[in-house]
Amino acid sequence: MDFREIEKKWQKIWEGEGRFRAVDFDSKPKYYILVEFPYPSGAGLHVGHTPNQIAMDIIARKKRAEGYNVLYPIGWDAFGLPTENYAIKHGVSPVVATERNIDNFKRQIKSLGISFDWSREINTTDENYYKWTQWIFLQFFKKGLAYKATVNINWCPSCKIGLSNEESEGGVCERCGTPTIQKPKTQWMLKMSAYAEKLLQGLDETRFWDNIKTMQRNWIGKSEGTLLHCKLDTGDDFDIFTTCIETIYGITYFVLAPEHPLVEKLKDKIKNYDQVLKYIEKTQRKTEFERTELIKEKSGCPLEGIYAINPINGQKVPVFISDYVLAGYGTGAVMAVPAHDERDYDFAKLFSLPVIEVISGGNIAEQAFEKGEYLGKGCRLINSEQFTGLTVEEAKEALNKYLEENKLGQKIATYKMRDWVFSRQRYWGEPVPLVYCEKCGWVAVPEEELPVTLPKVDKYHPTDDGESPLSRIDDWVNTSCPNCGGRARRETDVMPNWAGSSWYWLRYMDPHNDKAFADFDKMKYWGKVDIYNGGGEHVTRHLLYARFWHKFLYDNGLVPYSEPFDRRIQQGIILAADGSKMSKSAGNTVDPMIYVERFGADVARLGQMFMGDYVEAKPWREDTMKPCEKLLKRIVALADRVEQGQESENKNILAQSIKSIDEDIDGLKFNTAISQLMVLTSALEKAKRVTDYDYQVLLKLLNPFAPHISEELWSQKGYKGRIDEGWLEYNEDDLKTSLVEIAVQLNSKIIARVNIGTSLTQDEIVSQLQKDEKIASALEGKNIIKVIYVPNRIINFIAK
RNA sequence: GCUGGUGUGGCGGAAUGGCAGACGCACGGGACUUAAAAUCCCGAGGUGGCAACACCGUGUGGGUUCGACUCCCACCACCAGCACCA
């Protein structure tokens, strides 16, 4: 029997009858299973894709059998750099390359027998799709959540190209190895920070794994503290943010980020402005490497002639700039309390600045006494005027109250999460649908003119000054202003990779709609994604972007639910056979498709699921394929022994198997489910009689894992009904056996193992055991003070 | 440094606080075969012993419990994410 032939046959049948089509508004309960849609690279499906799709396919098939209307869709996240780079290198249009890659992926996925609903296939590079990506962007723009700002990008001075963080890992350009620098560039930004609190709160509505929630919370990085209004002796105002307002009397200087606007503003008053400028330039020249690896080394520059005033006591203290203060967090300025902050302590030493201790209990001659050490320990304030003597916790409250009453500050929360840099000076992405008019400024392209399609270009390479290749196409760039009709220029930036994937699960619910991104009632019917499976690397960025877009749409009445995903799960990363990371450069990648070719899809599916716990990281092994092939061959061979009839002598093992496989699939324990299939198969092989009933149960249990062969055997046997309709149930009574082996313990040490009747009471068991010679002699002369009996497992005699 | 996670045979991995090592891989022995492959059967945590059996075993050290891979405390190692976040 050639599995591969059978598989082709059934794949054709399924496709022909549209077996896995999800039906809008069906009366069955809905179940929405989502796997992250793949990036169709030239390399084809890899081991990061196949286990996900197989695992979710097992769940999808089981859910359908249980009577759910299952939506299990697939599509292509096809915009992005790899394809663009391929186009640059080979002079092929990215459109053509993408098409080719998708065809290959599709063929591969289909050969695995994944039960996707292909009628809902989507592609982010399809005009009918990115029309709506652009449309959603315009809603952000219209609500004021898209804005232009100058931010630093990773820049390769040799390639003259802006790089993503991934392309400049380790601070060097991925292609030429030149150290990258930070270059300021105007970019479109999405005001994600406005949703920080909502993204944080919304997590409570989800059933994501706790570790995923924690990662998201850490990424959002909420911290509560005080916004303190400060003044310079020049009369200029600035704010600082602190979580340690209790240390306010310990301020001995202030530090501004080098990029802080006050620095530029005060250039005439800063005596050593030359020196300051030099420091700022040095900071900008710092490579990513220096910023991450050499961070602990403090540096800075005083603003000579400028003093700041501590708002609580009017003390005049010096002001510095230093790159240890980040422009993008808080207010880009800090109060420095060297006695109680390690960074300030180091910096104060470098510049010989005074250290004022304001919380007692530490040893500030040696090191800073930080909040981590003094919080919650009842430490009290010193050197703090009327607040002296209060505990830290009391002081926090009293100071906040005092500052608020005197309009010197207020309690606020800040977030680490930044706004989203939303433009790329590239070609292969969604054009940003805006035009710039000298008179009207940035104007949205009218919605009825969407999509703004990507024009064909000859060169996909960015220009030497880092502008998008689109900027070279004059007749595309030059347009008229939708507002005033005057001359205007199109935005030549495109959207980042992440754009198309920030709403795709909505499109699956209504993929062919040309009036809206998706019909509201259909979204209401399909609801939240019940289970969203994806890689751990997307838990922070993609998952936050997606939730951000969704929440924005919800706030504007465009989607019916405030959270997009109910559960989020992830598979463990697949490592190379030696436990190292798989990577192209290490040359240790594995092509999962060779196993389909060698063994067939059913074996490849089983083999991948049998490798280990789905959720844990694990090395790829191919030695699981053979035993899985063996299992299928044994099940095929068993068919010859099957006798007619619906009675069964194997009810116990069947019930056990149904129970454990059912629970294992729901709990993502596919490896143990397969073990149980092996156990069940062995049991049936040894059984005196195997009836149609027994065999049907086996095939049904096998079906989600190995859908082709199970259906083939089902059909060969001429069984009525469809194998994938109606899941299995078991009778509690069938789980029980009449005899069971239990361990007999004396003072928790095993002295014997005996078979006992499961219906016996503790007393009956004890009297039976006392007749056992070995046990009786072990217990002889002992004073039994207690007997612990755990039914069907152990009996423990506690004796002196 | 911070936050999460993981540590069980030669290997992948099983075990609602109740017989550790299910199910497999690799290995050893046997059957079939002229032979090999394939297939089937049997064995197997470690140490000692011909054996019955004994002792030791879930990263380390403590604790709770009649009983701990499982719960608690401290520590070590590895992996992942974040990292001058005020």
Side-chain angles (χ1 to χ4, degrees), chain A residues 275-466:
Chain A
Q275 200 190 337
V276 168
L277 261 188
K278 261 187 203 150
Y279 183 78
I280 293 171
E281 277 167 23
K282 206 176 96 194
T283 315
Q284 280 171 345
R285 269 204 316 274
K286 272 198 182 173
T287 64
E288 190 73 18
F289 179 77
E290 285 167 325
R291 293 175 67 139
T292 54
E293 302 298 318
L294 306 172
I295 47 176
K296 298 298 166 193
E297 208 60 27
K298 292 286 175 294
S299 70
C301 179
L303 302 184
E304 282 172 16
I306 305 283
Y307 289 89
I309 296 151
N310 184 341
I312 198 116
N313 58 9
Q315 284 264 321
K316 261 174 92 172
V317 294
V319 182
F320 290 79
I321 57 169
S322 170
D323 61 0
Y324 88 84
V325 174
L326 308 172
Y329 181 76
T331 60
V334 300
M335 65 183 212
V337 183
H340 302 288
D341 182 285
E342 197 191 326
R343 293 156 304 168
D344 297 345
Y345 193 88
D346 294 343
F347 191 84
K349 276 203 160 164
L350 189 67
F351 286 92
S352 305
L353 294 158
V355 178
I356 302 173
E357 185 179 26
V358 291
I359 291 159
S360 67
N363 177 12
I364 62 151
E366 290 284 325
Q367 58 181 345
F369 184 44
E370 291 202 289
K371 62 175 167 184
E373 297 158 295
Y374 66 67
L375 280 176
K377 305 253 170 74
C379 295
R380 288 179 192 278
L381 267 63
I382 53 173
N383 300 328
S384 300
E385 297 184 344
Q386 74 262 41
F387 302 97
T388 296
L390 296 181
T391 65
V392 168
E393 288 71 21
E394 290 163 349
K396 259 188 202 293
E397 203 174 314
L399 276 160
N400 275 321
K401 197 168 159 233
Y402 175 87
L403 292 169
E404 204 136 334
E405 279 167 7
N406 292 281
K407 302 213 160 38
L408 294 172
Q410 72 231 52
K411 275 174 84 165
I412 60 156
T414 60
Y415 303 87
K416 280 189 221 173
M417 193 177 71
R418 314 284 177 81
D419 284 344
W420 178 3
V421 182
F422 201 70
S423 37
R424 300 288 185 270
Q425 290 71 44
R426 292 292 190 151
Y427 173 74
W428 193 228
E430 302 88 345
V432 171
L434 296 172
V435 299
Y436 185 75
C437 166
E438 291 290 344
K439 260 189 263 170
C440 311
W442 287 106
V443 180
V445 171
E447 288 177 12
E448 58 276 13
E449 284 177 25
L450 296 180
V452 176
T453 53
L454 259 182
K456 291 204 168 69
V457 298
D458 301 327
K459 287 166 130 187
Y460 303 104
H461 211 281
T463 62
D464 283 352
D465 54 2

Side-chain angles (χ1 to χ4, degrees), chain A residues 496-535:
Chain A
N497 259 144
W498 311 94
S501 59
S502 294
W503 69 282
Y504 73 112
W505 66 94
L506 297 169
R507 190 63 176 174
Y508 283 138
M509 300 182 197
D510 192 13
H512 309 295
N513 195 328
D514 58 2
K515 304 276 184 298
F517 65 86
D519 176 74
F520 197 82
D521 287 332
K522 287 184 184 173
M523 290 191 282
K524 218 167 167 178
Y525 173 79
W526 288 110
K528 289 184 192 178
V529 171
D530 290 279
I531 183 163
Y532 186 18
N533 181 93

